[in-house]
Amino acid sequence: MLLSDNGIPQHRQLYEILKDHIGQGLYKPGDLLPSENALCATYSVTRPTVRQALNSLLAEGFIKKQQGKGSIVQPKRIGIGILSILGTTDSMPPGTLKTRVVDKPKVMPWIFDFDFEITKEEEQSGCIRMSRQRLVNGNPLLFEVTNLPNINLPRFCNRSFENRSLFGILSKYYDIKVTGGEQKIWSLPATKEINKYIGAKPGEPVLHLQKKYETSRPFYHFYTSIWCNTENYYLMGTF
Amino acid sequence: MLLSDNGIPQHRQLYEILKDHIGQGLYKPGDLLPSENALCATYSVTRPTVRQALNSLLAEGFIKKQQGKGSIVQPKRIGIGILSILGTTDSMPPGTLKTRVVDKPKVMPWIFDFDFEITKEEEQSGCIRMSRQRLVNGNPLLFEVTNLPNINLPRFCNRSFENRSLFGILSKYYDIKVTGGEQKIWSLPATKEINKYIGAKPGEPVLHLQKKYETSRPFYHFYTSIWCNTENYYLMGTF
DNA sequence: CACACTAACTTGTCATAACAAGTTGCGAAT
DNA sequence: ATTCGCAACTTGTTATGACAAGTTAGTGTG
């Protein structure tokens, strides 16, 4: 079991493999991952590579590390990683999240209902805007509006996003990977509009996130606004 | 300028130095830090050490890195890091945050108004509880209740926390450093009690965080609840 | 003058090596 | 049977070296 020489760094490949294994239950919460040296042997890489992969898993809360003991798999939690670099889909245990497209992606002028500066080039290119509703265990919990600059994304508006990950589509078809970003968080009363999608009665407190994502394509950013009904669920993160 | 051989790892020392330099304005937003090789030479360490320090600064949003260019100092933002591993005090630009102690630290039985499990040992030891109000530019914005297990913290209740950092006191006097943690975030209506401290009228949406901190002392955790008035400010983070 | 190329930077990735520090289990001594 | 201590693990830290990949500024050509 070794890693080929495509363009993807080895530590990234190993990260994906281990994340999948944890997601599939091959390692259960409380279990130890194979030791760093064991992973080195299994995948024919060296410790710096393995440690980079493990540090990514650590940063996103999938494992904890304890010196002298090992890498301990953490229990899956609703919303883990939604505050970190993961997309909404990747931050939920597989199967718990359903996505319903409310407004299909459509090219339009920018609507500045989010609070980040965009560049002139982004503004002139126009905006691809879509909105999606997210259901956790059948309950509508999140409403998400995504704005992407309309730069070199052929056929984007024709793709299906029903129950599929935006991050996955950007990565697979356009080789755009999310490298980081920033977010703003606050609390506000639900509006009638929001009520329709996440079932929070108008006036009830709702969690609001605005995110700016940076990507592997230079100067290409995109922006999402998320409204979250936190009456019965909360967002969770590790640090 | 070299780093001595005390117990603190070199990458940690370099991290602190660079964080201070950025905080003091020696490097301004948009500036490049010295290159990795230059830092190696200046502090007589090697690249893995420098890169570990820079990665910590990156994770907490103080810098961004760009391949081929360098490490770019980021603008200071209100609340940066409050969602990450930094304490409230360390996550604000120096001078903007004032702390007022509402209830001095006091030993008492645990009050489970927070939503984390604690161990039997923690429960039996009792709890040191304190509450503080945080003012940003003179405006009361945050109300913070801290619960620590009463285990081997001599003279803790006699110390002054007025305008001082809990993280700093734990580190300086008890050699307890925060190594990580988890948090839950949701939105709820302000109560009369909360209204007194952060000026949000009862019923208005308020941001609520509950944090569990893990420390360098094995099995020692502490817990904070934070209420935040987000009418005019928001919390911000990077990822 | 405008453009293309190159050299000299930067960070990113990865291999190899050694020792420190924390954890665990086993075997010997009590 | 219990305890102690050591050996064999684990991750943490740090050094050295090499090459890949992205940026920038200057150089030379058209």
Side-chain angles (χ1 to χ4, degrees):
Chain A
M1 196 98 73
L2 70 165
L3 300 163
S4 63
D5 190 23
N6 49 4
I8 303 163
Q10 294 180 343
H11 67 85
R12 198 73 210 160
Q13 297 181 43
L14 180 54
Y15 158 86
E16 296 289 348
I17 289 171
L18 293 173
K19 184 155 76 84
D20 283 351
H21 286 180
I22 292 171
Q24 291 163 12
L26 211 152
Y27 306 110
K28 294 190 178 53
D31 284 358
L32 295 179
L33 289 186
S35 77
E36 297 181 354
N37 284 322
L39 291 171
C40 292
T42 306
Y43 297 100
S44 305
V45 291
T46 57
R47 260 189 87 201
T49 307
V50 168
R51 286 180 64 79
Q52 230 172 321
L54 293 179
N55 280 338
S56 300
L57 293 171
L58 178 67
E60 288 158 16
F62 291 105
I63 62 170
K64 285 206 183 308
K65 295 170 96 180
Q66 193 182 344
Q67 187 177 156
K69 195 167 183 188
S71 303
I72 306 158
V73 176
Q74 294 304 109
K76 295 166 196 156
R77 299 185 175 93
I78 295 291
I80 192 173
I82 204 177
L83 296 169
S84 76
I85 201 176
L86 297 180
T88 307
T89 308
D90 288 331
S91 65
M92 308 282 180
T96 56
L97 187 79
K98 289 267 179 294
T99 301
R100 210 177 63 76
V101 175
V102 174
D103 294 304
K104 286 188 185 176
K106 192 179 153 191
V107 178
M108 56 170 67
W110 288 89
I111 302 172
F112 291 106
D113 52 2
F114 59 91
D115 197 28
F116 289 103
E117 300 281 328
I118 70 170
T119 65
K120 271 200 181 126
E121 203 194 357
E122 286 173 343
E123 180 157 13
Q124 286 165 356
S125 320
C127 170
I128 299 176
R129 188 177 170 103
M130 65 188 289
S131 58
R132 291 173 296 168
Q133 184 188 30
R134 311 290 198 138
L135 300 90
V136 175
N137 299 324
N139 302 104
L141 273 196
L142 299 169
F143 181 63
E144 195 167 341
V145 177
T146 305
N147 303 275
L148 306 102
N150 183 22
I151 304 175
N152 193 19
L153 293 179
R155 291 184 17 86
F156 188 87
C157 291
N158 297 95
R159 298 194 186 278
S160 162
F161 288 86
E162 203 78 20
N163 286 324
R164 295 182 64 193
S165 150
L166 171 63
F167 279 36
I169 287 172
L170 285 175
S171 168
K172 185 171 174 189
Y173 297 110
Y174 306 101
D175 197 33
I176 295 177
K177 298 183 197 340
V178 173
T179 55
E182 56 183 86
Q183 60 193 340
K184 303 170 180 179
I185 305 185
W186 65 93
S187 183
L188 47 71
T191 61
K192 280 182 200 162
E193 180 78 6
I194 297 302
N195 171 39
K196 281 200 296 191
Y197 299 116
I198 61 174
K201 295 188 196 90
E204 275 185 3
V206 164
L207 201 62
H208 185 49
L209 309 182
Q210 293 193 350
K211 296 185 174 222
K212 172 182 182 175
Y213 289 104
E214 285 148 20
T215 71
S216 55
R217 187 193 278 185
F219 305 109
Y220 191 82
H221 312 104
F222 62 93
Y223 308 87
T224 66
S225 281
I226 301 174
W227 287 265
C228 180
N229 181 345
T230 54
E231 201 182 344
N232 298 306
Y233 290 82
Y234 45 69
L235 293 192
M236 145 147 269
T238 59
F239 52 89
Chain B
M1 195 100 74
L2 69 167
L3 300 163
S4 64
D5 191 23
N6 49 5
I8 304 165
Q10 294 180 343
H11 67 84
R12 200 71 209 162
Q13 298 181 42
L14 180 54
Y15 158 86
E16 296 287 349
I17 290 172
L18 293 174
K19 183 155 78 84
D20 283 351
H21 285 180
I22 293 172
Q24 292 161 12
L26 211 153
Y27 306 110
K28 294 190 178 53
D31 285 358
L32 295 180
L33 289 186
S35 77
E36 295 181 355
N37 284 322
L39 291 171
C40 291
T42 306
Y43 297 98
S44 305
V45 292
T46 56
R47 261 188 87 201
T49 307
V50 168
R51 285 179 65 79
Q52 261 185 89
L54 293 179
N55 280 338
S56 300
L57 293 171
L58 178 68
E60 288 158 17
F62 292 104
I63 62 170
K64 284 205 183 308
K65 296 170 97 182
Q66 192 182 343
Q67 186 177 156
K69 195 167 184 189
S71 302
I72 306 159
V73 176
Q74 294 304 110
K76 294 166 196 157
R77 300 186 175 91
I78 295 291
I80 191 174
I82 205 178
L83 296 169
S84 76
I85 201 175
L86 297 179
T88 307
T89 308
D90 288 331
S91 65
M92 308 281 182
T96 55
L97 187 79
K98 289 266 178 293
T99 302
R100 210 177 63 75
V101 174
V102 174
D103 294 303
K104 286 189 185 173
K106 194 177 151 192
V107 177
M108 57 170 68
W110 289 89
I111 302 172
F112 292 105
D113 53 2
F114 58 91
D115 197 28
F116 288 104
E117 300 282 326
I118 70 170
T119 65
K120 272 202 181 122
E121 203 192 359
E122 286 173 341
E123 179 158 13
Q124 287 165 355
S125 319
C127 170
I128 299 175
R129 188 178 169 103
M130 64 188 290
S131 58
R132 292 173 296 168
Q133 184 187 30
R134 311 290 197 137
L135 300 90
V136 175
N137 299 324
N139 302 103
L141 273 196
L142 299 170
F143 181 64
E144 196 167 340
V145 177
T146 307
N147 302 275
L148 306 101
N150 182 24
I151 303 174
N152 193 19
L153 293 178
R155 292 183 18 84
F156 188 87
C157 292
N158 297 95
R159 298 194 186 278
S160 163
F161 288 86
E162 203 79 18
N163 286 325
R164 295 182 63 192
S165 149
L166 170 65
F167 279 37
I169 287 172
L170 285 175
S171 169
K172 185 171 174 189
Y173 297 110
Y174 306 101
D175 197 33
I176 295 177
K177 298 182 197 340
V178 173
T179 55
E182 57 184 86
Q183 59 192 340
K184 303 169 181 180
I185 306 185
W186 64 94
S187 182
L188 47 73
T191 62
K192 281 182 200 163
E193 180 78 5
I194 297 302
N195 170 40
K196 284 202 295 191
Y197 299 116
I198 61 174
K201 295 189 197 90
E204 276 185 1
V206 164
L207 201 62
H208 185 49
L209 310 182
Q210 294 194 349
K211 296 185 175 223
K212 172 182 183 175
Y213 289 105
E214 284 147 22
T215 71
S216 54
R217 188 192 277 187
F219 305 109
Y220 190 82
H221 312 103
F222 63 94
Y223 308 87
T224 67
S225 282
I226 301 174
W227 288 264
C228 180
N229 181 345
T230 54
E231 201 181 344
N232 299 306
Y233 290 82
Y234 44 70
L235 294 190
M236 146 147 268
T238 58
F239 50 91

